[in-house]
Each structure stands twice: as structure tokens, then as C-alpha cells.
């Protein structure tokens, strides 16, 4: 059974666009997905990236156009400039980490629910009530938003260090069986073909 280490940020629109296709690919290949939310703002300066607000205006403008196109291609509702972006990604990331450890729910549904709350529903995913609603909807105990803070904070920091060491430089980023790397929601077809043995 292949294993996919899934590095992402809960405030990444491209991670939101990847969600349903990643699930379909994982299910088709019987792959185990290890979700690893990380601090994308902390990742960029350590891996040669530029934070969104510091990018050239032409790059920022193109990003908005590209997001609109990619949302249409994916068939997902997407607000390219949502009301609560940027926001603090840590609380939602801690909840995902705590939920994965606790089990009992659908972890990929939780990740997608939090991303959709930001990018489709324009909610603030740094707020407890938003996070708890996402936990409950994905079949997890909403109290994990409170009880998992310490464990979540430690793992969140560890995920960033692991990501840098593994060669991750953006989100979403997929590593199959610890070696084969794919960056971006637009490389999911390549991930699928690799798992089929065609790449």
C-alpha cells in the first residue's frame, strides 16, 4: 500500500482545489494519506519562496486570474479574495493534527471542510466556532479544538522542520513512500500516473 505524505497549509487556495481529486486518487490506489499541515509563512523564507504580499504586482494579479480558472476547472466554488484571508492558520492546523491522532472521523473531509470554510464560505478559520463546526461535520469531537492545542503546536512545528528537510517548498506538496515528490494541485494527474506505474 503506497503512503502519501501530504504537506499543506489551511490557508492555501491551491490545497483547497486539490482536495477532492487527492481523495479520489488515494482511494483508487488504496493509498494511506498522512496529513501534515505546516506554517507556509515560515516555509517560504527557508526554501526560496516569496510571501504573497511581497510578490511583484504582476504575479499577484496573475494569481487571482489563475485561481478563478482553476476553480472552474475543478468544479469548486472559490472566492479568490475571501473576507478572512490571510488569517492565522495555526488553530485549524492544530485541530487537524489532534483529529488525526484521535481518529474516529474522516480526516480528509476535515481538511477540505476547513479549506472550504475559508475559500468558499468566507469564514474565519482561526475562530474556535468555525473549527469546531468543521470537526463535528467530519465526524470528530469538537472538543479536540481545545484539548489538542499543545500536541498540535508541537507537531505543527515538527511538520515544518520535516518539510524543509524533505525538500518541500510550497503547498500542496505530496511525497509518495518518502521519495517521489509532486508539487501543486496541477500535478495530481502526475501523482495518479506514478501510482499507476506509468511515470
Amino acid at each position: 500500500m503506497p503512503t502519501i505524505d501530504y504537506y499543506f497549509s489551511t490557508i492555501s487556495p491551491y490545497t483547497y482545489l486539490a482536495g477532492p481529486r487527492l481523495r479520489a486518487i488515494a482511494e483508487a490506489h488504496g493509498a494511506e494519506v498522512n496529513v501534515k499541515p505546516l506554517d507556509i509563512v515560515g516555509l517560504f523564507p527557508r526554501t526560496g519562496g516569496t510571501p504573497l504580499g511581497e510578490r511583484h504586482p504582476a504575479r499577484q494579479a496573475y494569481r487571482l486570474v489563475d485561481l478563478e480558472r482553476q476553480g472552474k476547472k475543478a468544479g469548486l466554488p472559490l472566492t479568490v479574495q475571501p473576507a478572512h484571508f490571510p488569517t492565522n492558520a495555526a488553530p485549524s492546523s492544530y485541530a487537524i493534527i489532534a483529529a488525526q491522532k484521535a481518529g474516529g472521523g474522516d480526516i480528509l473531509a476535515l481538511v477540505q471542510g476547513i479549506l472550504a470554510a475559508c475559500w468558499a464560505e468566507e469564514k474565519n478559520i482561526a475562530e474556535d466556532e468555525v473549527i469546531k463546526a468543521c470537526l463535528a461535520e467530519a465526524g470528530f469531537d469538537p472538543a479536540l479544538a481545545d484539548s489538542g492545542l499543545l500536541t498540535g503546536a508541537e507537531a505543527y512545528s515538527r511538520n515544518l522542520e520535516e518539510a524543509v528537510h524533505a525538500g518541500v517548498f510550497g503547498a500542496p506538496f505530496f511525497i509518495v513512500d518518502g521519495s517521489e515528490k509532486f508539487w501543486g494541485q496541477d500535478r495530481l494527474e502526475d501523482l495518479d500516473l506514478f501510482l499507476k506505474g506509468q511515470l
Side-chain angles (χ1 to χ4, degrees):
M1 179 175 68
T3 298
I4 302 171
D5 288 331
Y6 178 27
Y7 292 94
F8 63 91
S9 168
T10 59
I11 57 169
S12 161
Y14 290 103
T15 300
Y16 166 62
L17 293 172
R21 286 174 293 158
L22 174 62
R23 174 187 284 279
I25 290 167
E27 290 177 352
H29 297 283
E32 177 185 356
V33 180
N34 295 324
V35 299
K36 294 181 175 286
L38 55 76
D39 178 5
I40 197 77
V41 177
L43 180 69
F44 282 151
R46 296 182 61 182
T47 56
T50 304
L52 180 60
E54 297 174 19
R55 295 175 195 167
H56 189 278
R59 292 177 64 93
Q60 293 190 44
Y62 181 81
R63 173 183 170 276
L64 298 178
V65 173
D66 184 57
L67 280 173
E68 188 168 349
R69 290 175 184 154
Q70 297 302 318
K72 289 176 181 177
K73 280 178 66 177
L76 292 173
L78 174 68
T79 302
V80 298
Q81 292 181 293
H84 300 285
F85 175 82
T87 191
N88 183 4
S92 57
S93 299
Y94 297 171
I96 289 168
I97 291 165
Q100 182 168 237
K101 183 177 180 181
D106 185 331
I107 195 68
L108 290 180
L110 174 59
V111 172
Q112 193 65 14
I114 287 172
L115 287 156
C118 177
W119 293 99
E121 301 163 17
E122 297 197 78
K123 296 177 181 175
N124 187 352
I125 61 167
E127 295 179 352
D128 282 349
E129 52 269 34
V130 174
I131 296 168
K132 288 178 178 179
C134 291
L135 282 162
E137 191 171 329
F140 293 100
D141 181 356
L144 288 169
D146 302 317
S147 63
L149 292 179
L150 179 59
T151 301
E154 291 173 346
Y156 189 55
S157 177
R158 191 164 56 248
N159 286 348
L160 175 58
E161 296 307 315
E162 286 181 8
V164 171
H165 180 73
V168 173
F169 50 82
F173 208 102
F174 315 95
I175 303 180
V176 180
D177 294 334
S179 59
E180 201 72 17
K181 301 170 187 175
F182 301 87
W183 171 47
Q185 59 89 25
D186 55 345
R187 292 297 182 267
L188 283 168
E189 181 183 357
D190 292 353
L191 171 62
D192 187 33
L193 290 171
F194 175 78
L195 292 170
K196 289 176 178 175
Q198 297 176 9
L199 271 185

